[in-house]
Amino acid sequence: MSDESVRVRYAPSPTGYPHIGNIRTALFNWLFARHAGGKFIVRIEDTDQSRKVDGALESILNSLRWIRVDWDEGPEVGGDYGPYFQSERRDLYQKYAQQLLEGGHAYKCYCSAERLDRMRAEMAERKESMRSYDRHCRELNERERVELEAGGTSPVIRFKMPLAGQTTFNDLIRGDITFDNNELDDLVLLKSDGYPTYHLANIVDDRFMKITHVMRADEWLSSTPRHVLLYRAFDWEPPLFAHLPMILGPDKSKLSKRHGAASLIEYRDMGYLPEAMMNYLALLGWALDDKTEIFSQEELIRHFSIRRISKTAAIFNKDKLDWMNGVYIRNVVIEAPAAKVDSEAYTPVITTDLIQQLMEFLDKHLPHEVNRPISREYVEQIWPLIRERITTLREVADNFDFFFIDELVYETDLLLDKKLTTDTVVTALKAALQSLTDLSADWDRIGRDAEKLAEDAQLLEEVLRPLAAGLGLKAGELFKLLRVAVTGSTAAPPLFQTMAALGRVRCMKRIRAALGKLELV
Ligand code: GLU
């Protein structure tokens, strides 16, 4: 479906670092706009100055940029579009608050914070249903108003909610929803500092930005009847509404850090791929069918529709995210980044330079003693050995640092198999060292292609495998020893390929170091 008139927005408040749910809202709006060929807008709702959090704005924009959710318009900043900021549009809201006042849909309220506190405490005591305001100033007469003004109190402007009746609106996901008007407060539209509240600014902007569909989190559902009544008071046509299902933890409780949920930027910093993250977020409350899990960005745009958004809460499952990231890591195309992976099961398309991303992680997280810059060629060589064994890019620096560091640190016990004597282990390592010394010196680590590496690995195997029999060892026993000596760990990628990538000099040095450790036993 193409509908260029579609205009949607993501309207975050900079009151914290955006988490999975926030960015899922942005993504659904963006997918909807891209699918229709319409426009996606980012609007920063920063009118509550007291709740602003340092760094939140940057984190919002960086999260969007990271998963490549781009926006289509906004004030120009350095040749690019910035988002809209509500704090820069205050005159507009004041004008429309005034209009409601003049039309008799709003009134000035002079109640002090102390009076409001007292009123709420009394209501609680009487166990009355909690209202934020008792409409004290709604029916002030002219004389009372003049007196209060003369007393110097700066008023707020409140909306005159209808006192009876019901408000019904249609939600594209849930159908018709009805609220009793007497449950709705006379909400504040304009605060005494001249800043609008969320409700006023939100609908004025949606109107002036010609928003056609408001797609937002479920938690805003109770604001919608208020907004619908505001639209009526202005005599404006409201947009269409769609409230997105909640995201819960696997135990069905509210999603929190306990479930492994974090701010989106933390996932970037852990080494999740933006493509995998977009894919994962898209499935939090939306599905094409009951089986397809892996979608490229193009496929998501092609298939996305509000009709397929679920009514029931989505479950955040960190294991599934890890699995999905692994799928992307294993299927990424390195040589031809724009090409599609030809595999029956998965077709992720990665257009970014994954090796470059990995290099950045390595640069940041490998120990200081590793020489910089890290060789890209080397990283490309070891990538095939690693990619099957990681869930995130960060793990390369954490678990495969033996490819980079000079001296391995590990317990000598790792070399000592219960079934083998120390002498046998020493003899075996010496024999391996001798074989490597005898090997032609033409294998070394940098600057060789994958084919040469495979040849080296084969050569090493041909030389080292037969040693076992002569030493009275099973091949597996010898290989385990060598694996510990050259990687410092018993779990490592295929031994000979690893050794080929590490290079002769480094392997020999490490075997010597292992022998040195054993001398101390
Ligand atoms: N500023 C609100 C938020 O932080 C926007 C809600 C809406 O989209 O209307 O989520």
Side-chain angles (χ1 to χ4, degrees):
M1 180 195 86
S2 157
D3 181 356
E4 285 163 24
S5 66
V6 160
R7 291 175 61 83
V8 290
R9 65 359 181 235
Y10 170 51
S13 301
T15 51
Y17 287 30
H19 51 73
I20 291 270
N22 300 130
I23 302 299
R24 192 265 324 244
T25 299
L27 177 63
F28 278 25
N29 277 285
W30 182 83
L31 288 172
F32 183 64
R34 292 288 170 267
H35 176 89
K39 295 277 189 269
F40 172 74
I41 289 168
V42 176
R43 181 172 80 218
I44 306 295
E45 302 209 324
D46 58 348
T47 56
D48 193 345
Q49 298 286 309
S50 63
R51 291 183 58 225
K52 261 191 176 169
V53 165
D54 279 349
L57 172 67
E58 290 68 28
S59 183
I60 291 167
L61 300 181
N62 287 339
S63 300
L64 297 178
R65 289 188 187 114
W66 178 55
I67 61 160
R68 292 185 206 96
V69 161
D70 54 348
W71 53 95
D72 298 317
E73 49 177 69
E76 219 175 287
V77 197
D80 212 347
Y81 292 131
Y84 291 106
F85 288 91
Q86 287 190 326
S87 56
E88 290 166 8
R89 299 160 61 84
R90 275 182 293 162
D91 292 352
L92 186 68
Y93 315 124
Q94 284 165 4
K95 178 174 160 204
Y96 283 93
Q98 199 58 38
Q99 182 177 314
L100 287 181
L101 206 54
E102 283 159 15
H105 295 290
Y107 60 95
K108 289 186 178 172
C109 165
Y110 301 86
C111 293
S112 63
E114 294 74 43
R115 178 180 179 272
L116 294 177
D117 285 346
R118 216 177 327 117
M119 172 208 87
R120 285 177 201 136
E122 284 167 13
M123 274 186 172
E125 216 163 278
R126 291 199 300 269
K127 299 208 167 44
E128 268 175 38
S129 78
M130 227 16 206
R131 273 192 182 291
S132 61
Y133 186 53
D134 60 0
R135 300 184 164 131
H136 177 76
C137 294
R138 183 161 164 150
E139 305 302 340
L140 292 181
N141 60 35
E142 198 47 37
R143 190 182 45 81
E144 288 166 318
R145 227 187 315 271
V146 170
E147 255 169 42
L148 284 161
E149 299 263 344
T153 327
S154 355
V156 301
I157 297 182
R158 286 186 185 272
F159 185 55
K160 259 190 201 169
M161 280 291 167
L163 299 175
Q166 291 186 321
T167 300
T168 300
F169 60 89
N170 183 266
D171 180 278
L172 294 171
I173 299 169
R174 292 145 197 273
D176 281 352
I177 299 181
T178 300
F179 281 81
D180 285 334
N181 292 341
N182 67 11
E183 282 170 18
L184 310 174
D185 280 318
D186 283 1
L187 53 90
V188 175
L189 298 169
L190 203 66
K191 294 178 273 183
S192 53
D193 60 4
Y195 274 90
T197 56
Y198 155 70
H199 302 290
L200 176 66
N202 189 271
I203 77 141
V204 168
D205 277 346
D206 282 348
R207 167 76 182 183
F208 284 93
M209 294 177 180
K210 299 194 169 59
I211 298 303
T212 55
H213 297 70
V214 166
M215 226 182 288
R216 62 182 163 206
D218 191 72
E219 60 184 305
W220 299 101
L221 190 71
S222 62
S223 293
T224 308
R226 297 164 166 86
H227 296 182
V228 169
L229 289 166
L230 273 167
Y231 279 107
R232 272 187 212 153
F234 279 121
D235 206 10
W236 293 340
E237 185 65 32
L240 300 173
F241 295 101
H243 291 87
L244 305 176
M246 291 218 287
I247 304 176
L248 303 176
D251 58 359
K252 307 271 165 74
S253 68
K254 192 166 177 276
L255 187 59
S256 73
K257 284 221 155 54
R258 193 161 46 84
H259 302 113
S263 76
L264 204 76
I265 288 301
E266 284 174 75
Y267 288 102
R268 180 195 68 186
D269 297 344
M270 284 188 268
Y272 289 85
L273 306 192
E275 294 82 358
M277 190 49 98
M278 176 181 280
N279 189 158
Y280 182 75
L281 289 177
L283 297 183
L284 288 175
W286 174 88
L288 175 63
D289 50 32
D290 55 8
K291 51 182 193 297
T292 318
E293 311 245 53
I294 303 292
F295 292 89
S296 67
Q297 182 186 303
E298 292 73 17
E299 287 163 338
L300 287 174
I301 292 174
R302 180 150 26 97
H303 296 302
F304 191 83
S305 77
I306 295 184
R307 232 172 357 101
R308 292 204 172 99
I309 296 176
S310 118
K311 282 192 187 55
T312 49
I315 305 290
F316 172 81
N317 180 339
K318 173 88 171 10
D319 293 341
K320 183 163 169 188
L321 171 62
D322 287 349
W323 166 79
M324 197 171 273
N325 206 48
V327 170
Y328 274 78
I329 284 180
R330 288 191 295 280
N331 286 279
V332 105
V333 181
I334 302 292
E335 270 80 22
K340 241 185 172 180
V341 178
D342 231 352
S343 117
E344 293 149 35
Y346 311 121
T347 56
V349 178
I350 307 268
T351 52
T352 45
D353 184 346
L354 185 78
I355 295 290
Q356 185 51 39
Q357 284 181 53
L358 176 55
M359 302 277 296
E360 282 160 24
F361 269 90
L362 293 171
D363 191 46
K364 195 155 168 210
H365 298 292
L366 280 175
H368 291 303
E369 62 265 27
V370 173
N371 280 337
R372 311 295 203 272
I374 289 153
S375 154
R376 181 179 168 115
E377 222 166 345
Y378 181 52
V379 173
E380 280 177 8
Q381 280 178 3
I382 63 172
W383 175 244
L385 302 178
I386 293 173
R387 68 190 301 175
E388 302 286 335
R389 294 171 175 77
I390 53 169
T391 303
T392 65
L393 295 182
R394 170 83 205 244
E395 285 168 27
V396 181
D398 294 343
N399 304 344
F400 296 87
D401 56 348
F402 65 83
F403 276 117
F404 302 92
I405 56 181
D406 228 19
E407 276 179 38
L408 302 180
V409 180
Y410 61 93
E411 294 292 326
T412 311
D413 275 358
L414 275 188
L415 290 164
L416 297 170
D417 195 295
K418 273 185 240 75
K419 282 187 258 140
L420 308 178
T421 64
T422 309
D423 278 352
T424 317
V425 172
V426 168
T427 315
L429 288 177
K430 281 190 174 156
L433 189 59
Q434 189 55 49
S435 301
L436 295 186
T437 314
D438 295 345
L439 255 187
S440 99
D442 85 355
W443 64 284
D444 218 339
R445 71 184 178 89
I446 310 283
R448 284 122 28 90
D449 57 26
E451 210 174 304
K452 180 71 176 72
L453 220 61
E455 272 173 34
D456 286 347
Q458 205 181 341
L459 180 67
L460 282 167
E461 178 158 12
E462 277 163 19
V463 170
L464 295 172
R465 186 179 281 278
L467 284 185
L471 292 159
L473 296 176
K474 291 191 197 113
E477 289 171 327
L478 175 66
F479 297 168
K480 184 186 150 211
L481 272 181
L482 285 170
R483 184 171 287 120
V484 173
V486 298
T487 72
S489 153
T490 50
L495 176 64
F496 302 111
Q497 292 172 41
T498 301
M499 288 178 73
L502 282 168
R504 190 174 69 104
V505 175
R506 221 193 293 216
C507 288
M508 288 173 61
K509 197 170 153 211
R510 290 184 179 182
I511 294 172
R512 274 193 212 101
L515 285 164
K517 275 174 174 281
L518 290 167
E519 267 169 25
L520 301 174
V521 174

